[in-house]
Amino acid sequence: MAYSEKVVDHYNNPRNVGSFSKETAHVGTGLVGAPECGDVMKLQIKVNPGTGLIEDAKFKTFGCGSAIASSSLATEWLKGKTIEDAAKIKNTDIVNELKLPPVKIHCSVLAEDAIKAALADYRTKHGARAEAAVK
Amino acid sequence: MNYFEVFGLPRRLGIDVAELQRQFYELSRRYHPDFHAGAPPDEQASALDASARLNAAYRTLRDPVARIEYLVRLEEGRETKEGAAVKAQAPPELLEEMFEIQEALAEAKAGGLDEGTRATLRAQRERLRERLREADAKLAGPLSAAWDAADDSGRPKLRELLKQGLATRAYLKTVIEDLGQALGEEEGTGEHVAHHRH
């Protein structure tokens, strides 16, 4: 199957590969998998507590090229966004940007799931405290 | 006509495979093109279709895991593996573990595989193979039996358990294949679950 240029680009030069150390504060982690193919994807966000913006994002994906490209793109998009805006990223946006063929749509779904899981993890860990601070 | 109906079987996971094989041979003879060589073209064509469906049905139903995958798809009314309304979630600990194995494998590969590392990876692969055998035995044994024994109210829960079992085996199989690939000792391609990365 031929990959689009953008997929190949992200696959050859993945952005933001890695992970934050366990001690890093204000990090939300999402770990998801695709049971159909056994791919696993970890995506992390680091939020600036002052501005509430996602200042950094990292991922590690063990899977096919489309899964790597989807998560690489996701981390690029996440940076600079608020938690609320980050939650609006849809798998269809990733499909359009990377021109993923139908058989690879599940890779973009995986990336969206990873974003959601990371945001949920962040909210669980910091949400209550952040809201308390606002009030 | 679904695969169970091809053999006149109820939609159950417990199947007598010897009996299935016997029926397969009998039906194969009935649909064999040679017996329809003198028949009108449309009859020949329908015999050919029936023969192809029979082969696919037999390949799927004779294997306990492929049978479960097929049954789950039927229950959910979908044709393919993808597009499940409710995605099966493997236990979070398993996901965590698979991720750690993959991460360690990537590091080992980056460092070049010396004999010591290779031995470690081989031992790990053997343990994972054992767990895959256990997962398959659980699916084919107690879970299949429980599904057949369940009534309509018990089935949604069991369907979830079957899907979890299928997800678990898919993750194990992938990581076993990836270990084999790193070791230069690829797994033989399984017949029922092909999920190669593209």
Side-chain angles (χ1 to χ4, degrees):
Chain A
M1 183 198 334
Y3 279 129
S4 74
E5 268 176 44
K6 279 179 181 162
V7 171
V8 174
D9 179 36
H10 276 279
Y11 181 73
N12 288 331
N13 309 292
R15 280 50 146 195
N16 314 308
V17 173
S19 51
F20 297 112
S21 76
K22 288 203 171 71
E23 292 77 40
T24 314
H26 305 290
V27 169
T29 301
L31 176 63
V32 296
E36 302 88 7
C37 51
D39 289 0
V40 281
M41 180 182 287
K42 183 155 117 179
L43 191 147
Q44 294 181 298
I45 52 165
K46 185 169 180 279
V47 180
N48 182 320
T51 60
L53 297 177
I54 296 171
E55 58 178 16
D56 203 359
K58 289 193 185 296
F59 83 95
K60 262 191 192 179
T61 294
F62 299 102
C64 69
S66 301
I68 291 168
S70 296
S71 37
S72 171
L73 177 67
T75 53
E76 280 203 314
W77 280 353
L78 283 168
K79 285 191 201 181
K81 279 198 166 61
T82 61
I83 302 280
E84 290 69 34
D85 285 344
K88 290 177 193 154
I89 297 175
K90 290 274 164 286
N91 84 291
T92 45
D93 304 332
I94 296 169
V95 170
N96 291 338
E97 176 69 15
L98 296 176
K99 300 186 175 58
L100 294 179
V103 295
K104 288 288 158 184
I105 287 173
H106 70 274
C107 299
S108 66
V109 174
L110 199 58
E112 184 187 321
D113 289 350
I115 294 173
K116 291 216 175 87
L119 296 172
D121 182 55
Y122 178 79
R123 285 201 185 101
T124 315
K125 281 183 188 153
H126 306 281
R129 211 183 315 152
E131 276 164 31
V134 170
K135 283 170 193 167
Chain B
M1 194 191 284
N2 73 42
Y3 290 169
F4 291 96
E5 290 162 354
V6 166
F7 286 97
L9 289 168
R11 200 188 276 197
R12 288 168 59 85
L13 290 172
I15 287 182
D16 177 346
V17 177
E19 172 62 17
L20 186 78
Q21 188 185 44
R22 197 191 59 73
Q23 277 214 31
F24 171 67
Y25 289 144
E26 192 184 310
L27 290 168
S28 294
R29 277 193 295 276
R30 190 183 304 169
Y31 300 134
H32 196 283
D34 289 359
F35 289 105
H36 304 270
D42 59 335
E43 199 186 310
Q44 283 189 39
S46 71
L48 206 60
D49 283 350
S51 175
R53 192 169 56 232
L54 176 67
N55 277 298
Y58 179 60
R59 269 202 310 277
T60 301
L61 294 187
R62 72 176 169 184
D63 179 284
V65 173
R67 192 187 304 154
I68 294 169
E69 287 187 329
Y70 181 73
L71 180 109
V72 168
R73 290 210 293 278
L74 268 187
E75 291 288 319
E76 296 187 338
R78 63 198 164 94
E79 299 288 312
T80 62
K81 278 207 250 183
E82 281 157 24
V86 181
K87 273 212 271 180
Q89 288 303 335
E93 319 84 70
L94 181 82
L95 215 51
E96 194 88 43
E97 187 193 357
M98 294 301 111
F99 188 85
E100 277 163 18
I101 294 172
Q102 292 282 13
E103 207 166 29
L105 178 61
E107 274 165 31
K109 277 202 283 194
L113 298 181
D114 58 25
E115 251 335 289
T117 314
R118 295 180 68 87
T120 310
L121 293 181
R122 262 194 217 104
Q124 187 174 44
R125 182 172 56 157
E126 210 31 69
R127 285 195 299 275
L128 290 163
R129 277 177 173 162
E130 182 53 35
R131 280 169 61 188
L132 179 59
R133 281 191 287 271
E134 282 167 16
D136 283 354
K138 194 177 159 199
L139 276 168
L143 280 176
S144 288
W147 169 269
D148 286 348
D151 56 18
D152 286 349
S153 66
R155 291 209 156 163
K157 173 74 189 152
L158 274 162
R159 191 168 73 195
E160 269 323 289
L161 289 175
L162 288 172
K163 287 174 75 172
Q164 267 178 28
L166 291 172
T168 298
R169 85 176 300 281
Y171 286 118
L172 289 170
K173 201 158 178 294
T174 300
V175 79
I176 290 167
E177 280 170 8
D178 288 351
L179 283 165
Q181 208 167 24
L183 287 162
E185 300 159 10
E186 306 248 5
E187 296 289 306
T189 47
E191 270 190 76
H192 43 265
V193 188
H195 49 261
H196 300 287
R197 290 174 176 163
H198 306 286

